[in-house]
Amino acid sequence: MELFVYGTLMAEPVMRSVCGRPFDSTPATLHDFRRRRVSGEVYPAIIPFPGEKVDGALYCGLNATQLALLDVFEGDMYRRVIVDVKTVSGWRSAHTYIMSPTYRHALTDETWSLDGFLSEGLREFVGGYPGFATLGEEGDRNDDH
């Protein structure tokens, strides 16, 4: 399965912590969505927004167990949907996580950048994001269940 990521999951240490390993990726763009920082947090969310686009990465080769772990990690604030993203080799369908409508009030107008997150927010995120605690000991994260 393929997964479009646009935020903290683009950071290899985060993806490895959740899924047990890094993945091959290719640059990808999601059209008609907006990425903004979540209020009081170092991470972003995306929502549908005509005319804007979100640059990110497309991971390939995820299995059902890893997607289930990502669902737990992302929690209630996000919901997984299928989107079409543009890559250098054309359009591809992929899973991604968008902000649930219930939480949209928490989205700020501040843009989010991977470089800023890596230099200023990664340590805080790994130490404080509740998704890491909910994962607990999930066993082998590379199962093909």
Side-chain angles (χ1 to χ4, degrees):
M1 289 179 256
E2 297 182 326
L3 177 70
F4 174 74
V5 296
Y6 56 84
T8 62
L9 291 172
M10 288 192 293
E12 189 272 331
V14 175
M15 193 64 175
R16 180 184 297 273
S17 292
V18 177
C19 292
R21 70 178 186 87
F23 291 86
D24 291 334
S25 70
T26 188
T29 302
L30 176 62
H31 290 263
D32 294 324
F33 276 80
R34 166 183 271 184
R35 173 180 50 206
R36 294 293 188 264
R37 193 180 63 76
V38 174
S39 180
E41 305 295 349
V42 296
Y43 54 86
I46 60 173
I47 58 170
F49 202 91
E52 290 198 21
K53 65 181 182 174
V54 176
D55 292 323
L58 183 67
Y59 289 136
C60 301
L62 280 84
N63 61 42
T65 298
Q66 291 156 337
L67 278 178
L69 288 165
L70 286 159
D71 289 346
V72 170
F73 177 74
E74 294 291 356
D76 292 339
M77 186 179 289
Y78 298 88
R79 61 185 173 98
R80 182 164 38 106
V81 298
I82 303 288
V83 294
D84 291 322
V85 295
K86 188 170 187 180
T87 69
V88 293
S89 61
W91 290 92
R92 308 270 291 270
S93 289
H95 296 264
T96 197
Y97 290 90
I98 67 171
M99 181 171 256
S100 295
T102 307
Y103 292 92
R104 288 198 181 154
H105 66 278
L107 209 55
T108 70
D109 285 330
E110 293 179 50
T111 59
W112 183 93
S113 76
L114 179 61
D115 290 340
F117 173 73
L118 293 174
S119 66
E120 300 173 16
L122 179 60
R123 182 176 301 214
E124 176 185 339
F125 181 75
V126 171
Y129 185 68
F132 289 109
T134 60
L135 285 175
E137 292 298 321
E138 294 290 336
D140 186 356
R141 296 180 183 192
N142 295 311
D143 284 349
D144 285 319
H145 294 92

